[in-house]
Amino acid sequence: STLIIAGMDKWLRSAFPEGYTSGQRAGAALMLATTGLFLGMTVFLRMDMLMCMWIVLALWTFWKWDNGIGKEGSHRLLLPVYTFLALFTKGPVGILVPPVSIIVYLAASRRWKDIGKYLGVVFWGILAVLCAVWFTGVFLEGGAGYLKNLLFHQTVDRAVNSFHHKAPFWYYLGIIWAVMAPWCLATVPSLVSGLLKKSEGENPSEYERLLALTGIAGFVMLSCFSSKLAIYLAPIFPFAVYLWPAIVRRKGWNGWHSAAITVPSALAIVLGLVAALVSFICMIMPQLPDFVNFPFLKSPLILSAGTLLAYGGFKALLSRAKQ
């Protein structure tokens, strides 16, 4: 997770060299670090987060290549390598998100001819060689049955008619607000707002357009798959979160931004104070949590966490008031 944040921070700095102070960049980093499921997954060894890191690196590499930053030869090599590592880490989502995002971005910019430049023979050739090495190793290790299970049962079957975690197309439309809490009022709408021009104002930057289109394309693609879990939305998190600071920079602070910070901040204060109060009561009445079968409530860590949560919400409200 720290590498994802570091990558997005460098991307933001390269897109807007003079656009953000260190404090503002730290705020963006903390928004991603404290986004519900992203924060939750930092304590689990799931491959989704590692895949997300490779996807971020792949699309950052494409952005640098497309904007003439760095050496083209390195980007031409690293883009397929990062894409393969995303595939190797988790599966087909890893190999689909970078190319689909690039194609959608270039198509939206009416740059159809550039698709072959970035996703041409070199890209698919390197991917094919790396996959061939991997699949050969799989065959030698587990035989034809294991290879077939890896290539078809765990991929095509999950996407078309999943045998596990099957959910309807609209599933992510509801769950995304929960997994991206508490900043969902800011980050989820930003995927659309990042494509909209301010009235009589500045057009969205290419940075905004790429991040917004990546998030939207990824969301639609994941919704089309039969197998669905909240954690599968992980590749969308960094793009949605780091899109918001760019939108604020372009459009300025407005009522939507205030509400997006005020609502979760107020909830944090209320929940933090309630948690701290309950923990304090349970500490002076230790038989109470044992009676309700929640012995952890008498832990001083609950009191500390509740106090810290309430303090954070209070500081966020003060910060919003200064806007």
Side-chain angles (χ1 to χ4, degrees):
S1 60
T2 55
L3 292 176
I4 294 173
I5 293 172
M8 293 304 300
D9 179 69
K10 289 185 177 181
W11 192 348
L12 184 69
R13 281 188 291 167
S14 62
F16 308 101
E18 306 297 331
Y20 299 93
T21 66
S22 57
Q24 290 170 332
R25 286 173 31 233
L30 286 172
M31 279 189 71
L32 180 54
T34 56
T35 292
L37 201 55
F38 189 92
L39 174 62
M41 286 300 102
T42 58
V43 297
F44 291 95
L45 292 176
R46 280 191 65 99
M47 294 297 99
D48 300 85
M49 294 293 282
L50 186 57
M51 178 192 67
C52 183
M53 182 192 74
W54 295 124
I55 290 173
V56 167
L57 290 175
L59 289 170
W60 181 30
T61 298
F62 161 73
W63 188 87
K64 289 189 291 183
W65 186 1
D66 193 46
N67 285 271
I69 301 173
K71 298 180 179 180
E72 181 177 330
S74 298
H75 300 328
R76 190 183 298 274
L77 173 65
L78 289 175
L79 179 57
V81 170
Y82 288 147
T83 303
F84 168 75
L85 289 172
L87 165 68
F88 180 75
T89 300
K90 182 64 180 177
V93 172
I95 198 175
L96 288 174
V97 172
V100 168
S101 300
I102 292 171
I103 292 172
V104 170
Y105 170 74
L106 294 175
S109 304
R110 296 183 176 86
R111 296 166 54 193
W112 297 95
K113 294 182 179 180
D114 286 342
I115 295 176
K117 173 184 176 181
Y118 299 108
L119 303 175
V121 175
V122 174
F123 178 86
W124 297 110
I126 293 176
L127 267 178
V129 170
L130 293 174
C131 287
V133 173
W134 177 27
F135 297 153
T136 300
V138 171
F139 177 78
L140 294 175
E141 175 70 22
Y146 183 32
L147 181 60
K148 180 180 179 181
N149 180 68
L150 178 69
L151 292 180
F152 298 102
H153 186 57
Q154 296 295 334
T155 55
V156 178
D157 289 348
R158 280 180 176 268
V160 177
N161 187 18
S162 180
F163 53 88
H164 203 35
H165 308 311
K166 188 175 183 179
F169 176 83
W170 47 262
Y171 176 78
Y172 288 135
L173 288 173
I175 203 67
I176 192 172
W177 301 94
V179 299
M180 297 200 70
W183 314 116
C184 54
L185 295 179
T187 55
V188 176
S190 70
L191 293 173
V192 175
S193 181
L195 298 175
L196 302 178
K197 177 182 178 180
K198 180 182 177 181
S199 178
E200 298 181 359
E202 186 179 353
N203 286 322
S205 65
E206 293 305 306
Y207 170 88
E208 292 174 75
R209 295 182 70 251
L210 177 56
L211 266 62
L213 290 171
T214 296
I216 293 172
F219 184 85
V220 173
M221 181 180 66
L222 291 168
S223 295
C224 291
F225 294 158
S226 177
S227 180
K228 295 180 178 68
L229 280 177
I231 187 57
Y232 293 169
L233 289 175
I236 296 175
F237 295 172
F239 303 107
V241 171
Y242 269 82
L243 179 57
W244 193 59
I247 294 173
V248 173
R249 174 184 176 275
R250 175 169 59 92
K251 294 187 174 183
W253 195 265
N254 56 36
W256 163 48
H257 300 141
S258 295
I261 298 300
T262 301
V263 172
S265 298
L267 287 175
I269 294 174
V270 173
L271 293 176
L273 291 177
V274 170
L277 178 61
V278 170
S279 178
F280 179 74
I281 293 174
C282 290
M283 289 173 65
I284 61 177
M285 300 175 61
Q287 69 279 6
L288 180 60
D290 292 330
F291 176 76
V292 296
N293 202 27
F294 290 124
F296 65 88
L297 290 176
K298 56 187 175 184
S299 170
L301 293 177
I302 302 296
L303 176 62
S304 301
T307 303
L308 183 61
L309 180 62
Y311 175 75
F314 179 71
K315 291 288 290 184
L317 282 179
L318 287 181
S319 176
R320 188 214 57 84
K322 295 177 182 179
Q323 297 294 331

